[in-house]
Amino acid sequence: LILKAIPGLDQARIMRPAYAIEYDAIQATQLHHTLETKIIENLYFAGQVNGTSGYEEAAAQGMIAGINVALKLHEKESFIPKRHEAYAGVLIDDIVTRGVDEPYRLFTSRAEHRLQLREDNAFERLSHYAVKMGLLDESFYKKEERRLTKLHNTISKLNNQRAKFKERSYSLLHLLKMPEHDLEKVEELYGEKILKKRSLLDISYIEASVKYEGYIKIQKQHVERFKNLSKIKIPMDIDYDEIDGISHEARQKLIRYRPATLAEALDIPGITPATINTMSIYLTLSQRKRNTGMKEKINPQGEMDNV
C-alpha cells in the first residue's frame, strides 16, 4: 500500500524484497585486542565479520586494526585503547573477551567509565597516542595543551573565588556543583566572566569536570586498582587443568576465551576475584619454579584483596 501511494508507482509489484543482509561471522574471542587472530599470525579482522552491526563499529575496528598492522610492520608497540580511554576500547574489549551472541552495537551504557568518555576531553584522553604515532601536528598539540592548562587553572581558581546565593557565601566551585547552576549562572552571581575567551567545548569541559568530580574520582580509583592486573600476562600455552582451586565452570571459560592478562580474565562473565587470586598465585609460583628449576606441584591457596 505504501509503495502504491507513491506517484508513478501505483502499478508497481514487489517481486522480492531487496534489503536483507546475511553474513558469516567468526568467533571474536579468537582475536587479540589488536584484532589480530590468535590462531593465524599477521591476519587481522575488522567489522561485521567480528559479529558487530553498524558502520561506526566497523570503522572503529578498521582504524584500530589498520594502526596495529602498521605498528607491527615497523616492529613497534601495539595500540590497544583501554576501556576508560575510548569507546573503541570498550567495543573491542567487549567482543574479544565476552564474545558476541547477536549483532553487537556500541551503546554508551556498555561503558562503565562513560563519564570520562566525553567529547570535550578527547584531546586529554588520546592526544599522547597520536603524538607518539606521529599523527598530530606539533603546533596544534602545543596549542591544545595551552588551552587545557588554562581550563585546569580556571577550575582551580573557582575554589578561591566566592559569591552569594540565597544570602549565603559559597565558593564558585561549590556553586557550580549545584544542579541548578551552570557556568553562566555562576558568572551572573559572581558579577563578571570567569573565563573570557572560551568555546562551548571549554564550557562543557569545566562544567563536567566540576559537577561529576566525585564520580570521576571513584572511576579513576577503579581504573588504578586494575592497572596491576593488566600488567600480569597469562602465557598463551598455559594449561588451566594444572591449576588447582578454580571451579570447573571458570576453567572452561578461561580455556574458551584464552585471556592475555589477569585484567582480561576478570572481565569474563562468571570469573570471580577469588579465581583471579588463585591464578595470580599460580603464575607467580610458576615463574619462581622456572627461575629456580623446582619441580614441586603447585597448589595455590589464598584470597585476593582490593579487587
Side-chain angles (χ1 to χ4, degrees):
L1 292 177
I2 294 176
L3 188 66
K4 292 182 180 298
I6 300 174
L9 298 179
D10 55 303
Q11 299 298 318
R13 291 171 56 201
I14 297 176
M15 298 179 64
R16 183 174 65 251
Y19 190 78
I21 295 177
E22 293 182 9
Y23 60 88
D24 293 325
I26 66 166
Q27 288 286 352
T29 53
Q30 295 177 348
L31 300 173
H32 294 294
H33 278 70
T34 59
L35 296 182
E36 181 183 19
T37 65
K38 295 177 180 178
I39 299 172
I40 304 174
E41 187 178 3
N42 298 326
L43 177 62
Y44 292 74
F45 283 118
Q48 290 184 338
V49 71
N50 291 341
T52 60
S53 172
Y55 300 116
E56 297 84 1
E57 287 81 359
Q61 291 173 73
M63 178 185 69
I64 300 299
I67 290 173
N68 280 304
V69 167
L71 290 173
K72 189 167 187 180
L73 286 171
H74 289 86
E75 298 182 346
K76 294 183 178 180
E77 183 182 358
S78 300
F79 172 55
I80 303 175
K82 308 294 188 301
R83 295 181 69 92
H84 66 279
E85 292 178 322
Y87 276 107
V90 175
L91 183 157
I92 292 173
D93 187 58
D94 275 354
I95 65 174
V96 167
T97 60
R98 301 177 184 180
V100 177
D101 295 324
E102 58 184 47
Y104 178 99
R105 292 302 311 254
L106 180 59
F107 306 111
T108 55
S109 59
R110 296 188 188 272
E112 64 273 33
H113 306 297
R114 54 188 171 275
L115 286 179
Q116 298 178 62
L117 304 181
R118 310 188 311 271
E119 180 185 359
D120 58 63
N121 69 349
F123 176 84
E124 188 173 24
R125 288 185 282 114
L126 299 169
S127 61
H128 63 288
Y129 288 122
V131 169
K132 186 178 180 180
M133 290 184 277
L135 300 175
L136 201 60
D137 179 73
E138 186 176 351
S139 61
F140 174 80
Y141 177 78
K142 289 182 178 178
K143 177 184 175 183
E144 288 298 297
E145 277 282 283
R146 289 193 295 270
R147 182 183 72 87
L148 196 59
T149 299
K150 180 181 71 174
L151 295 180
H152 287 165
N153 290 339
T154 300
I155 293 172
S156 296
K157 289 177 182 177
L158 289 175
N159 203 35
N160 301 321
Q161 298 165 317
R162 305 185 71 83
K164 280 191 174 183
F165 176 64
K166 293 183 178 179
E167 305 302 322
R168 291 186 60 184
S169 176
Y170 298 94
S171 71
L172 301 189
L173 191 73
H174 188 97
L175 288 172
L176 190 54
K177 285 186 178 183
M178 295 180 180
E180 63 266 36
H181 294 159
D182 56 15
L183 187 63
E184 184 177 354
K185 177 63 176 177
V186 170
E187 287 178 332
E188 184 181 318
L189 292 170
Y190 185 56
E192 63 178 83
K193 294 287 185 182
I194 297 167
L195 188 62
K196 293 181 173 58
K197 290 185 178 181
R198 78 276 186 98
S199 64
L200 289 176
L201 209 62
D202 295 336
I203 295 173
S204 173
Y205 182 89
I206 291 173
E207 290 183 349
S209 297
V210 172
K211 289 184 178 297
Y212 302 134
E213 180 186 16
Y215 300 106
I216 292 173
K217 184 178 180 180
I218 293 172
Q219 289 186 358
K220 286 183 176 179
Q221 288 173 348
H222 180 268
V223 170
E224 288 298 321
R225 191 179 302 134
F226 287 95
K227 271 188 177 179
N228 288 335
L229 293 181
S230 299
K231 297 175 183 176
I232 303 176
K233 308 292 183 182
I234 302 174
M236 290 303 296
D237 60 350
I238 187 172
D239 185 355
Y240 287 105
D241 290 327
E242 287 189 357
I243 307 178
D244 296 332
I246 63 176
S247 68
H248 180 68
E249 178 189 4
R251 198 186 312 276
Q252 284 185 323
K253 288 185 175 182
L254 291 167
I255 291 173
R256 176 186 175 188
Y257 291 106
R258 288 283 167 184
T261 66
L262 287 185
E264 288 182 22
L266 187 59
D267 203 35
I268 298 172
I271 299 299
T272 65
T275 299
I276 298 300
N277 179 68
T278 299
M279 290 180 61
S280 176
I281 296 172
Y282 172 85
L283 293 170
T284 301
L285 294 179
S286 293
Q287 183 63 46
R288 188 181 303 168
K289 179 181 176 181
R290 284 192 294 271
N291 292 340
T292 61
M294 295 187 304
K295 295 183 179 181
E296 74 274 12
K297 178 177 175 61
I298 297 170
N299 182 17
Q301 298 287 337
E303 297 179 356
M304 187 174 190
D305 295 325
N306 301 321
V307 172

